[in-house]
Amino acid sequence: MSTTTTCVVGLTWGDEAKGKIVDILSAEHDVVVRYNGGNNAGHTVAFDDGTHKLHLVPSGLFHPEVTCVIGGGLVIDPKVLLEEIRANESMATDLRDRLFLSDRAHTIWPWHKRIEALSEKHLGKGKIGTTLRGIGPAYADKANRVTAVRMGEFLRPEHLQPKVERIVRQKNEVFTKVFDDEPLDPDAVWEEYAAYGEQLRPMILDTTAWLHQAIADGKRVLFEGAQGTLLDIDHGTYPYVTSSSASAAGVWTGTGVSPRAIDRIWGVVKAYTTRVGEGPFPTELTGPVGDQIREQGNEYGTTTGRPRRCGWLDTFAIRYAATVNGLDGIVITLLDVLGGLPELNVCTAYQVDGKRLEAFPADPTLLPRVEPVLESLEPWPEDISGTRTFDDLPAAAKAYVERVEDLVGAPVRMISVGPDREETIRRD
Ligand code: IMP
């Protein structure tokens, strides 16, 4: 079977360096599609002239022959999208002509960001630790239906204007009566957002129909997941998750492309584990080794700049994520960061009160009590960032990769040993 469609999905809590992998694979595809989330994502792509941070536009944008699609499963902040297009236009040739926005995608408005900030503040210690980009409230409105706006509605401004006024009036009731906060001015909001809609209009289309045709025409399509499986609204560590389908399952809901049309699903993990925001993290290292990983891996959030929590690779959680996604292959990123650590462990199982768990638990009160069962592996002192073939890796690094394959039950297809495109070992 020739491979025409690929999904790249995060296996943990996001930040697995998927941006670099999607950028590399974009050269082998005609279309790159984002299918979930919004500008809570931070995808970093590094090449010759420097580092580019993307939040909404698919990481294929720097390949001039690639069409970029933002699917219906996203929540789009129109202001942020326009800023991102402007910021990247000089490097991404003809971007406005090859970026399509689904008319089914939902939109983020000022009330979403405001309500999220108020709610997180109100929750205090019990907060989710969100990115404060309005993602959760926008998806909540999507489910609520009557207070949501889809991208396609920007094509019918005469219908949208009274709707926005009605929504603002409704939201103002909550701001003023529940949170004792200032109301929003409906006219000012409309004026600002109608202007964004006007600029985005030429890019809005029925991307579901467009993708069906592209696949029928034999175009090679790459689906780019944002966040990761453990942040998936259904399969992640709920309630400390994002509000979208961040596993491969998001492809079908978020683009309208059938699961049967996906030839290959690759899951991306770092060589260790990180998490930003609140929520359980069984293999977290709070001492000097965790700090060393954070510094060597520059583990600070692309979107919010927050220091990431760091810990050992959790193959128990990854095996669960691999099964949820139906993986064909694993991509290990940041393997170079482990070089020079004083010790090296991987988590192979979870136990609670001395009893091993059979499966990754759904109960949010159980996960914080989980003790990781650790297996010690031989660390390596070498800097491996110059290595380009698997055989040239130090024996301990090869053994680490092979142990991950055994524990997760899928082959490692690609290994990243540095941020640049060239700093990659391929095994596919
Ligand atoms: P939200 O997506 O802003 O609602 O945040 C919900 C949770 O998901 C928080 O713990 C965030 O830190 C986390 N999160 C959201 N997007 C990302 C991402 O792209 N990488 C890593 N964590 C993320």
Side-chain angles (χ1 to χ4, degrees):
M1 180 179 66
S2 70
T3 300
T4 56
T5 54
T6 306
C7 171
V8 170
V9 61
L11 296 182
T12 57
W13 288 288
D15 305 322
E16 297 95 351
K18 298 179 291 295
K20 166 180 165 167
I21 306 307
V22 170
D23 172 60
I24 290 174
L25 292 176
S26 293
E28 298 154 30
H29 292 79
D30 306 300
V31 184
V32 181
V33 189
R34 272 279 304 268
Y35 61 82
N36 74 296
N39 63 308
N40 47 351
H43 292 170
T44 308
V45 178
F47 54 95
D48 334 323
D49 75 317
T51 298
H52 305 266
K53 293 184 176 179
L54 305 169
H55 301 282
L56 264 169
V57 180
S59 305
L61 83 164
F62 298 115
H63 297 262
E65 66 294 348
V66 163
T67 303
C68 295
V69 175
I70 296 185
L74 275 87
V75 285
I76 299 176
D77 185 326
K79 183 180 182 182
V80 172
L81 178 58
L82 281 162
E83 281 166 7
E84 195 165 304
I85 292 171
R86 270 186 226 113
N88 289 290
E89 235 157 359
S90 64
M91 283 301 300
T93 320
D94 298 331
L95 180 57
R96 285 176 199 251
D97 297 330
R98 56 190 180 84
L99 173 62
F100 299 149
L101 315 174
S102 170
D103 54 1
R104 292 174 170 87
H106 280 253
T107 50
I108 298 181
W109 294 73
W111 53 83
H112 293 129
K113 285 174 269 192
R114 171 100 75 96
I115 199 82
E116 183 169 28
L118 289 166
S119 159
E120 284 281 275
K121 193 167 154 215
H122 185 74
L123 284 165
K125 277 199 167 135
K127 69 181 180 180
I128 303 282
T130 72
T131 60
L132 299 176
R133 300 300 190 261
I135 306 294
Y139 278 113
D141 275 336
K142 172 180 175 175
N144 193 37
R145 293 149 296 164
V146 288
T147 44
V149 175
R150 301 212 290 185
M151 281 306 284
E153 293 179 77
F154 280 122
L155 301 175
R156 302 179 293 281
E158 67 295 345
H159 150 93
L160 183 55
Q161 179 169 17
K163 179 174 173 179
V164 167
E165 273 178 28
R166 171 177 61 74
I167 297 174
V168 174
R169 274 201 307 276
Q170 195 173 331
K171 300 288 178 186
N172 279 344
E173 294 285 303
V174 178
F175 290 137
T176 56
K177 294 186 179 152
V178 178
F179 289 103
D180 198 19
D181 201 34
E182 295 296 310
L184 288 165
D185 174 356
D187 295 334
V189 171
W190 172 249
E191 208 177 306
E192 184 184 349
Y193 279 69
Y196 299 146
E198 204 47 49
Q199 293 173 69
L200 293 172
R201 225 181 140 92
M203 291 174 253
I204 302 172
L205 77 140
D206 180 347
T207 56
T208 303
W210 189 91
L211 281 168
H212 290 166
Q213 192 58 50
I215 290 171
D217 291 345
K219 293 241 164 64
R220 298 161 304 166
V221 184
L222 175 58
F223 296 95
E224 175 181 17
Q227 292 85 47
T229 307
L230 300 182
L231 285 174
D232 182 285
I233 181 80
D234 293 296
H235 308 294
T237 50
Y238 194 91
Y240 297 101
V241 293
T242 191
S243 306
S244 69
S245 295
S247 62
V251 172
W252 14 119
T253 53
T255 68
V257 171
S258 157
R260 290 173 181 275
I262 315 296
D263 297 322
R264 177 170 78 161
I265 301 176
W266 278 8
V268 187
V269 282
K270 279 177 185 160
Y272 47 94
T273 308
T274 63
R275 171 160 213 176
V276 269
E278 310 303 316
F281 182 0
T283 62
E284 183 168 12
L285 290 163
T286 49
V289 179
D291 293 343
Q292 189 177 346
I293 293 177
R294 183 176 310 105
E295 293 318 309
Q296 290 184 186
N298 190 25
E299 291 296 350
Y300 295 89
T302 312
T303 299
T304 58
R306 289 179 288 179
R308 295 181 183 138
R309 300 155 66 192
C310 299
W312 298 125
L313 189 72
D314 184 345
T315 66
F316 187 73
I318 295 168
R319 189 161 61 238
Y320 160 71
T323 309
V324 165
N325 290 297
L327 286 195
D328 302 292
I330 307 171
V331 178
I332 299 184
T333 59
L334 291 123
L335 187 65
D336 54 304
V337 172
L338 295 184
L341 288 187
E343 56 173 326
L344 195 53
N345 291 299
V346 287
C347 165
T348 57
Y350 286 173
Q351 59 184 24
V352 176
D353 302 330
K355 268 185 72 183
R356 291 215 179 186
L357 299 189
E358 297 280 319
F360 192 79
D363 177 356
T365 65
L366 195 59
L367 267 175
R369 295 201 292 122
V370 148
E371 284 167 52
V373 177
L374 296 180
E375 178 177 308
S376 170
L377 295 169
E378 196 190 327
W380 60 90
E382 295 94 334
D383 172 6
I384 58 167
S385 56
T387 310
R388 296 290 173 270
T389 65
F390 186 70
D391 287 342
D392 288 338
L393 283 172
K398 278 199 272 194
Y400 187 80
V401 171
E402 284 165 352
R403 188 70 185 123
V404 173
E405 290 184 317
D406 285 349
L407 288 166
V408 179
V412 171
R413 300 292 191 191
M414 211 190 256
I415 299 165
S416 172
V417 292
D420 284 345
R421 281 174 179 164
E422 294 68 36
E423 291 171 316
T424 308
I425 296 170
R426 293 196 69 156
R427 298 174 83 211
D428 53 326

